[in-house]
Amino acid sequence: MSRSTRLTRAGLAVAASALLLSACTGPKASGPDPTGGPVGDVSAGPLRIAVISHGTPGDSFWNVVKNGAEAAGKELGVTVEYNSDGDPAGQAKLVDNAVAQRVGGLVVSMANPDALRESVSRAVRAGIPVITVNSGEARSAEFGAIAHIGQNEAVAGEAAGKRLKTEGKRKLLCVIHEAGNIGLNQRCEGAKQGFGEASNLQVDISNPTDAQARIKGALQSDPAIDAVLTLNSQVAGNTVSAISESGSKAEVATFDLNADVVAAIKAGQVLFAVDQQQYLQGYLPVSFLKLYRDNANVVGGGRPVLTGPNLVDKSTVDTVGKYAERGTR
Amino acid sequence: MTTATLDERVGTKGLADRLVARPELGSVLGALVVLLFFSVLTDQFLTPLGVATWLDDSATLGIMAVAVALLMIGGEFDLSAGVMTASTALVTAILATKLGWNVWLAVLASLVFALAVGALNGWLVMRTGLPSFIVTLGTFLALQGLNLGVTRLVTGSVQVSGMRAADGYESAGFVFASTVDIGGTSFQISIVWWIGAAVVASWLLMRTRFGNWIFAVGGAAPSARAVGVPVMRTKILLFMTTAFAAWLVGTINILRFTTVQANQGIGLEFQFIIAAVIGGCLLTGGFGSAVGAAIGALIFGMARQGIVFARWDSDWFQLFLGVMLLAAVLVNNTFRRRAERVRK
């Protein structure tokens, strides 16, 4: 027997015995999860909170959330660490990482709740208070989170659809900019509920040129479309350009604000923006977790704390616009 | 030529020279540096829970990196490998949740699908003579479209979930997604699969005739063919190995996270290649190691989670990762050049 094979065999033997000595645990099938952790560490001292979102780095929407969380951290003397990963498995690992660091509180957005189930329950079991934000409202309590802060996507979509209907629109195009995002689909479904007839269009947010061309193509191929609902401020800008290029009579409404959308609302190119005030989704959980630790307060009473929808149109755009520029709206 | 010197091919070399000639040496040193760096910098990096976190992150990446390393040593790329991890998970999830198949049956069907795509990749590359970069780019795009199109068609949504309620979930989950409790800390079973993949691939590469074929077809395919190496069969098998690894990772993911998103996996193919390159594989083929690739993945996982442990602002995350990868590759390169000198 050569030396290397002997070494391999010895290594395998050690690994096998380690496996035998340790207990294996399989994942559980459907069933109730441990919920409602005990009140966490009530001791005073510095509080550290991990905010873990599913946004991709550099996303303008999540930048506002991050700003909100950091502002609350500064005001309340709480250390806030923001991390994000668009891949659900990667996000779950970031949650595990936060648990390994024994953070004092966890804020997590659950665009893909099932993928985070194990990791979030592990945090709850470790006595870390969890608040879910933005998405995952339906599963938040089940996983043992103490509160959910966000905007109900379907409700927001419905509000947008209804408003477009009252504006006298007849045919709606709903533009989805991220293929895998279930929340965006819910918004379009909600819009359909509130509006009536609507069709969806899939574009890729990472390629604005292509997105604009596709929206233009959709408008040209169906001149009956007189309203476009975009779910992202950047896509709203693309749509405004697409409309002027194609000579369509459609009008735009959008989710989320940025400086361009503010300008477009002022100029009358965009009817209104559904603002979910995501700054609050960063700011509130940090203050809620601080209150939870220092005063055992729980907010919402099992119901989500809604940050929106708040429709921003010509009448309110001047005030809100200022804040969008500084990255807090 | 006055004295009867030993032929250099049968001469013995010193330990240092032999070490330097190993392709994985650079990655081992790199891994030690990263490990030391974050252990000193942060308190939690070396705690059992911390170790479990970065091993977990390295494991699935490592399984893929090992297979991709074999393929790269064989002189080919597979750009469809990242999306393939999502495709296999989607096939399993759709069969199990929408058609009510037993999870084991669904997993098996997904394996057949993966091997078929792998074989198709290999066959197309060999038959057309096109670079595998182009052929697998085509499969990458095709799979991406299939993932989204089929998922929306079947479920009306962009993610498939509900695996937990499917028949056979518990036993399949035990094999692919359980945790091993060591001293009160749970380690993911994927770590065992990762180590297994590295051991099997190393054995294949170093101890079998097939391993020699891999080096031969990656080093110089025409000469390999001339001496009787079945080039086509070897390369097709290598593509199927990558597809198999993608199936394994897809299965681990779907059983652990019980849900899969139609746009998952995109971009991961580059991480696999990067891990293999850090591990000492040459982009031009014919040189590299499976253990090295597994360690390359370890470096990636340690760095990715270490940065979070170090509580650095995540805005700078990719910059650090990029600089570190470049450094690792440069160190590797230096060692490889020394290694080539030693070999001459």
Side-chain angles (χ1 to χ4, degrees):
Chain A
M1 200 193 293
S2 79
R3 192 170 44 168
S4 63
T5 38
R6 224 182 305 146
L7 270 178
T8 318
R9 291 212 183 152
L12 283 177
V14 169
S17 46
L19 263 182
L20 282 176
L21 284 174
S22 56
C24 277
T25 324
K28 285 188 297 289
S30 281
D33 242 31
T35 51
V39 175
D41 192 2
V42 203
S43 64
L47 176 62
R48 255 180 68 214
I49 293 174
V51 182
I52 298 165
S53 85
H54 67 274
T56 45
D59 184 314
S60 65
F61 176 91
W62 286 101
N63 184 47
V64 175
V65 177
K66 186 180 179 183
N67 286 344
E70 282 174 350
K74 219 169 273 167
E75 284 169 27
L76 301 170
V78 173
T79 314
V80 171
E81 282 144 25
Y82 175 89
N83 280 291
S84 66
D85 198 324
D87 176 42
Q91 204 196 350
K93 279 160 198 164
L94 286 173
V95 173
D96 292 343
N97 192 318
V99 175
Q101 294 191 49
R102 303 262 172 235
V103 293
L106 181 66
V107 180
V108 60
S109 71
M110 299 202 299
N112 201 328
D114 279 322
L116 294 174
R117 179 192 175 109
E118 286 300 322
S119 297
V120 169
S121 330
R122 198 172 300 139
V124 171
R125 278 199 302 272
I128 298 171
V130 177
I131 290 184
T132 57
V133 292
N134 185 261
S135 32
E137 178 194 321
R139 310 289 294 279
S140 174
E142 180 194 335
F143 290 2
I146 58 171
H148 177 84
I149 302 167
Q151 161 184 269
N152 184 301
E153 301 290 15
V155 169
E158 203 176 331
K162 268 191 188 140
R163 175 68 183 267
L164 285 169
K165 187 103 197 159
T166 56
E167 297 275 347
K169 301 297 172 195
R170 288 207 183 80
K171 191 157 190 198
L172 175 68
L173 179 73
C174 191
V175 185
I176 296 177
H177 58 268
E178 262 172 45
N181 191 327
I182 199 153
L184 299 183
N185 281 274
Q186 288 166 349
R187 284 182 188 173
C188 282
E189 283 305 308
K192 205 174 275 181
Q193 292 278 322
F195 186 84
E197 196 189 349
S199 55
N200 290 1
L201 175 71
Q202 181 78 57
V203 301
D204 183 359
I205 183 81
S206 56
N207 187 348
T209 317
D210 173 60
Q212 189 164 319
R214 277 199 219 187
I215 295 165
K216 198 169 140 188
L219 291 173
Q220 279 167 342
S221 65
D222 187 357
I225 295 173
D226 57 1
V228 182
L229 179 62
T230 60
L231 310 180
N232 171 288
S233 43
Q234 183 192 324
V235 182
N238 294 335
T239 309
V240 168
S241 313
I243 285 174
S244 66
E245 281 171 24
S246 65
S248 157
K249 295 227 161 41
E251 286 190 283
V252 188
T254 186
F255 277 67
D256 302 343
L257 280 174
N258 68 4
D260 290 345
V261 170
V262 168
I265 293 175
K266 280 182 189 163
Q269 292 165 316
V270 169
L271 281 175
F272 63 88
V274 183
D275 184 13
Q276 64 169 298
Q277 308 184 91
Q278 72 271 30
Y279 186 79
L280 297 174
Q281 297 173 8
Y283 191 97
L284 292 180
V286 171
S287 59
F288 286 7
L289 284 169
K290 167 107 167 123
L291 284 166
Y292 178 75
R293 190 195 66 163
D294 295 346
N295 204 31
N297 286 126
V298 181
V299 188
R303 297 269 180 99
V305 178
L306 296 185
T307 61
N310 173 42
L311 301 191
V312 178
D313 57 17
K314 221 163 184 168
S315 63
T316 50
V317 72
D318 284 329
T319 337
V320 175
K322 282 198 303 248
Y323 304 136
E325 269 167 45
R326 66 175 192 195
T328 60
R329 280 299 283 265
Chain B
M1 280 291 198
T2 46
T3 52
T5 51
L6 266 177
D7 188 322
E8 87 278 0
R9 282 170 301 180
V10 295
T12 48
K13 295 173 189 146
L15 179 69
D17 281 349
R18 261 187 296 153
L19 262 183
V20 144
R22 301 291 316 151
E24 57 272 79
L25 180 69
S27 62
V28 170
L29 290 178
L32 282 176
V33 170
V34 174
L35 178 72
L36 262 170
F37 180 73
F38 285 112
S39 304
V40 172
L41 200 69
T42 73
D43 299 333
Q44 299 94 352
F45 194 74
L46 265 193
T47 59
L49 209 54
V51 173
T53 309
W54 48 260
L55 279 183
D56 176 26
D57 194 6
S58 313
T60 41
L61 176 60
I63 294 170
M64 287 309 295
V66 163
V68 166
L70 293 188
L71 183 70
M72 277 174 72
I73 295 169
E76 305 290 345
F77 287 104
D78 188 352
L79 294 187
S80 67
V83 171
M84 189 67 151
T85 60
S87 300
T88 49
L90 281 167
V91 170
T92 306
I94 288 176
L95 291 178
T97 61
K98 296 293 154 191
L99 301 185
W101 287 26
N102 184 291
V103 172
W104 282 105
L105 211 60
V107 162
L108 220 67
S110 161
L111 174 62
V112 172
F113 162 78
L115 292 177
V117 175
L120 180 74
N121 270 338
W123 183 79
L124 277 175
V125 167
M126 293 314 290
R127 272 317 274 266
T128 60
L130 289 169
S132 53
F133 207 85
I134 300 300
V135 171
T136 56
L137 186 62
T139 359
F140 161 72
L141 295 171
L143 284 178
Q144 199 183 332
L146 265 180
N147 285 359
L148 185 57
V150 172
T151 310
R152 280 196 69 113
L153 201 69
V154 176
T155 66
S157 166
V158 288
Q159 48 179 241
V160 191
S161 53
M163 279 301 283
R164 231 171 267 271
D167 278 345
Y169 171 75
E170 286 202 36
S171 58
F174 187 79
V175 174
F176 292 105
S178 52
T179 53
V180 180
D181 226 26
I182 302 175
T185 310
S186 344
F187 290 82
Q188 290 293 330
I189 198 83
S190 52
I191 299 168
V192 176
W193 285 102
W194 170 38
I195 296 168
V199 169
V200 169
S202 280
W203 169 78
L204 202 69
L205 213 49
M206 312 301 288
R207 291 267 177 275
T208 66
R209 192 168 57 157
F210 185 66
N212 286 332
W213 290 352
I214 296 175
F215 280 108
V217 297
S223 336
R225 190 174 279 122
V227 295
V229 173
V231 175
M232 182 148 173
R233 200 201 322 163
T234 308
K235 291 211 173 184
I236 289 180
L237 278 173
L238 283 176
F239 276 106
M240 289 173 76
T241 309
T242 315
F244 176 84
W247 164 81
L248 180 57
V249 170
T251 308
I252 289 172
N253 278 344
I254 184 63
L255 290 174
R256 174 168 171 199
F257 299 114
T258 66
T259 176
V260 52
Q261 218 165 275
N263 66 346
Q264 224 161 287
I266 297 165
L268 290 186
E269 56 280 347
F270 290 111
Q271 294 185 8
F272 307 154
I273 293 173
I274 290 167
V277 170
I278 294 178
C281 287
L282 276 189
L283 284 164
T284 45
F287 185 82
S289 104
V291 171
I295 296 171
L298 179 68
I299 293 182
F300 217 107
M302 284 198 296
R304 198 152 46 183
Q305 299 299 326
I307 290 170
V308 184
F309 279 120
R311 296 183 219 161
W312 290 345
D313 190 329
S314 56
D315 292 354
W316 301 95
F317 185 87
Q318 302 280 4
L319 173 71
F320 178 82
L321 214 54
V323 169
M324 207 205 51
L325 293 182
L326 265 180
V329 173
L330 286 176
V331 168
N332 261 333
N333 230 16
T334 319
F335 274 109
R336 209 194 60 247
R337 268 198 225 111
R338 268 210 67 187
E340 277 161 2
R341 269 209 306 280
V342 167
R343 226 187 275 156
K344 274 175 198 149

